Amino acid sequence: MINRTYAFGVAAATLLLSGCFGGGGGGDSSPQATPPVTDNRVAGDQQLYRATLTRTSFGIPHIKADDFAGMGYAYGYAQAEDNLCLLAEDTLTIRGLRSRYLGADGVFNIPANGTTTTNLNADFFWRFAATPDAIAPLKTESDPEVLEASSGYVDGFNRYLEEIRSGEHSGRHQACRDADWLLPMEDDDMYRRYFRLAVLASSSVFVEGIATAAPPALPDLNLPVAEDLLTQLEAAGAGDSEPLPFPLGELSIGSNMYGLSAGASQTGESILFGNPHFPWQKTERLYLAHLKVGDDAEIMGAALYGLPAVLIGFNEHFAWSHTVSTAYRFTFYELTLNPLNPTQYLYEGEYIDMTREEVSVDKLEADGSVTTETRTLYRSKYGPMLNFSVSGVPVLNWSSLKAYTLRDANAENSRLLNQFFRWNRADSFEEFVSLHGSVLGVPWVNTVATGPGKQAYYGDLTVVPNVPDAKVTECTTALSPVFDQLATGLPVLDGSRAACEWDSDADAPAEGVFGPGNLPSMLRDDWVHNCNDSYWITNPDQPLTGFAAIIGDEETPRTLRTRKCMQQVIQRLDGSDGLPGGTGFDLANLQQTVLSSELLSEQMARQQVLDAYCPLGTLMSSSGSPVNITEACEVLSAWDGTHNVTSVGGHIWREFWRNLNPLPVESPDKWLTPFDPADPVNTPANLNVLSPLVQAAFADGVKRIQDSPIAMDATMGDIQVSGIHETPIPVFGGEGFEGSFTIASSRSDDLSDGTYDVTFGNSYIQTVTWREDGTPLAEGFVTYSQSTDPASPWFSDMTEAYSQKRWIRFPWTDREIAADPNQVRYQLVELAIP
């Protein structure tokens, strides 16, 4: 065991973790560019923190504190030690300082929702969106535990930052340790970040459209015509040539989760599996920690960076996980404008002025000077004005007659932090379930939970605009048919009438959102799941129906991944999956199942494809040129049907299915057996191998491999590697469009370097059950490892274990923690200044 002691002051005798650096959270809408790291606290008001931080193997932090302030302090220190540069860059983002330090033309992106724009547009957006007024409710309406943990986190982060500035931790964080943009955190940075997470699936999808929205410079009297826009979108190949950002298009990443109660468990004890598929880059990574706060809370699990709580986790009483929900968190409103003044709009027979705001952003120029750009941005009573284009076609356009605005339910969600902090403090599974609906602060994810001896629970009790289907029909606009095609279920409402404002439910904790009585949930004695399709067949034996279209679709085809997700449970329960040891799940066969890297598309169609095409030897590509498929057929015939690291040939199938995927699921060119709502697990089926489109998709897939540096007989482990580590680490798994449950996504990799570089997919993985004494037994991974610093001992160690499917035990008891041979204990000593 290694003991480390850090001392920052001299005083009386008690060992204390004391925050001396930063912490002031001013409400200035223009945060200081380079605030110094200083002691802002006078002796009489100094905040004291009491905590211990122990790391076990793979850098897992175990934090014990007397209160939430001390927990946040140790958490902030640990995250800074592991991810200083990434967190510092996020501070620039949420303050709107990217252009000031990184240049206006630099690229800003949010991998989790598909947003890409310039630093300059990002700065204007965040300064306009994450204002003091916007974040104030997150402070004033959050529980005291939230405020204490947040302030503690800031001081813990800043303590580690001061150590770096003082020359400690040699060799660490080379990407930023000497950078002028390595700034100390302020309390308000925490709430800006919370706001940023809240609107991840709503406003922040439209960063560029909001940051650049402006009234027409010249009169524009054109009215939107749905038929014309749909024709233009079809001609532009909308959604094919340029994927739509989530939540308008298909989610390029996803998540899987199971809640297994006694009826699905071989042991008779409940089991939970959780596996969000999030980016391996940026701050939407997940971080594993074990937190114990006095007698008030003990919880272990993962949170997105910068949030000092557990968002997905477990304890003695329950375990839970999340997947991204299909519900929309916002609606568009169409505004009818005053033709003589495009910043006035009609509401209940009168013209109302938009609110205008001058927003200024500093920019670093090529010569090192700093200039300032100012834009005038506008809001309606509903929210920010915006433009929105798809594949170059202006769909939401600000003319002299019409303009578009957005109301975002999660921009109004002040309950977000209370939800997770109260869950972290819950004393029972029943309390966990009750809090889901009573707080109603979950922003954009489904929840599955279970507990020792408890049922399996599912709920999409989330923040959803209260827009019943009848209101959508009553408040339709000229663009409603366009969004019926682009994003089914997303309303474009008439902003001129009060009748089109969001409704409110009596059981909702806030106005304008559905209450739990109008949101889907269920409890079962066997199993529930979600793999990113809607709530409809959470369990196929009990369809959930009758909910508003804005929440999700019903009686529609499920994705191949969702079908694989359900089939795995069904086949385990009837024993048809071929696994030994009887039916039902235990921890071992669950772990084997979820990392199997099988593909539903292969199981449904490989033999048909080989039988139909391989005897021909040559197929015609979509360009009309012949493609020799002989070698590809030989390899695919011997392929084991998975994307495990030793598997040979699966990449050929992937490229075939990549070409086939854009075909609509209802097309007879794709499936001969159409979708049947009475059998959603097994339909559609029977690939139409005689279709010229399917034949061309296979030929094009083979040709893509032939034109790449990748051999036909390459193993997956040779060509699919982590895209974030300097030394190649093989990664198993496939893409959701292939029907893979085990996800490793390289998105639009062009294969020019001869590899699939994984940057999305399986992220935090937990399998949880309970021992006879009631303590949790949990194993899993953080697939990309705990640290983003290449000099950290925890930069790639978990990734290497994951590559080998070497499951990691998450130590829970003091005995387990003490027994870890790699334990590192931090005695962070800093005493109050007398």
Side-chain angles (χ1 to χ4, degrees), residues 53 111 122 224 234 267 302 315 379 399 456 460 514 524 582 594 602 618:
L53 166 62
E234 183 177 1
T267 66
N315 61 16
R379 303 179 198 274
S399 71
D460 190 355
F514 284 118
R524 287 189 61 89
V594 298
E602 179 275 333
T618 300

Side-chain angles (χ1 to χ4, degrees), residues 215-253:
L218 298 173
D220 177 2
L221 301 180
N222 292 310
L223 286 170
V225 179
E227 294 80 1
D228 293 346
L229 284 171
L230 288 170
T231 299
Q232 294 175 49
L233 289 167
E234 183 177 1
D240 294 334
S241 60
E242 180 185 343
L244 297 177
F246 174 77
L248 297 173
E250 182 181 350
L251 187 64
S252 57
I253 58 172

Side-chain angles (χ1 to χ4, degrees), residues 188 398 461 554 603 620 639 643 675 684:
D188 273 8
W398 193 340
L461 306 189
E554 301 172 6
Q603 294 169 339
M620 300 302 291
W639 176 39
H643 283 328
F675 169 69

Side-chain angles (χ1 to χ4, degrees), residues 215-404:
L218 298 173
D220 177 2
L221 301 180
N222 292 310
L223 286 170
V225 179
E227 294 80 1
D228 293 346
L229 284 171
L230 288 170
T231 299
Q232 294 175 49
L233 289 167
E234 183 177 1
D240 294 334
S241 60
E242 180 185 343
L244 297 177
F246 174 77
L248 297 173
E250 182 181 350
L251 187 64
S252 57
I253 58 172
S255 304
N256 299 330
M257 60 184 177
Y258 293 136
L260 306 170
S261 191
S265 169
Q266 196 173 95
T267 66
E269 185 54 274
S270 298
I271 310 172
L272 183 123
F273 165 72
N275 179 202
H277 306 152
F278 257 56
W280 288 25
Q281 301 168 305
K282 302 294 185 180
T283 50
E284 274 65 70
R285 287 171 41 124
L286 288 149
Y287 186 84
L288 172 63
H290 179 192
L291 313 175
K292 189 174 192 311
V293 183
D295 296 326
D296 199 22
E298 184 171 13
I299 202 81
M300 188 172 189
L304 297 170
Y305 285 15
L307 206 158
V310 168
L311 304 186
I312 294 174
F314 59 90
N315 61 16
E316 298 104 321
H317 309 298
F318 51 82
W320 82 100
S321 193
H322 296 301
T323 60
V324 176
S325 161
T326 58
Y328 289 105
R329 313 297 160 182
F330 63 96
T331 65
F332 296 125
Y333 277 94
E334 182 180 88
L335 303 182
T336 299
L337 304 182
N338 180 351
L340 301 179
N341 183 351
T343 63
Q344 289 184 333
Y345 60 98
L346 194 66
Y347 184 77
E348 288 297 292
E350 296 183 4
Y351 285 117
I352 298 175
D353 288 322
M354 296 176 188
T355 301
R356 54 184 291 157
E357 183 174 331
E358 302 291 323
V359 181
S360 296
V361 169
D362 289 341
K363 302 184 298 182
L364 179 66
E365 303 293 349
D367 62 1
S369 63
V370 176
T371 60
T372 300
E373 181 173 326
T374 299
R375 296 179 186 173
T376 303
L377 301 176
Y378 294 85
R379 303 179 198 274
S380 71
K381 70 186 299 293
Y382 303 104
M385 303 301 297
L386 80 160
N387 296 318
F388 178 59
S389 295
V390 176
S391 299
V393 178
V395 177
L396 302 181
N397 183 47
W398 193 340
S399 71
S400 300
L401 301 178
K402 298 287 184 180
Y404 297 88

Side-chain angles (χ1 to χ4, degrees), residues 3 5 12 38 40 121 129 155 231 237 322 333 351 429 455 600 715 724 755 787 813 828:
N3 288 306
T5 301
T38 58
N40 292 332
N121 286 334
D155 287 343
T231 299
H322 296 301
Y333 277 94
Y351 285 117
F429 170 75
Q455 292 179 292
L600 182 57
T715 67
I724 65 167
T755 59
S787 177
T813 66
L828 303 173

Side-chain angles (χ1 to χ4, degrees), residues 96-143:
L97 293 173
R98 295 183 65 88
S99 300
R100 166 63 181 82
Y101 289 97
L102 306 178
D105 296 330
V107 175
F108 168 77
N109 64 76
I110 306 175
N113 68 17
T115 293
T116 299
T117 188
T118 63
N119 286 339
L120 185 62
N121 286 334
D123 288 341
F124 276 109
F125 174 83
W126 291 114
R127 291 207 169 205
F128 186 54
T131 62
D133 287 344
I135 66 173
L138 289 169
K139 293 187 288 186
T140 59
E141 299 178 32
S142 288
D143 293 340

Side-chain angles (χ1 to χ4, degrees), residues 167-182:
E168 299 182 49
H169 312 297
S170 176
R172 296 296 304 275
H173 310 291
Q174 292 297 321
C176 69
R177 66 179 296 142
D178 298 320
D180 59 355
W181 51 266
L182 183 60

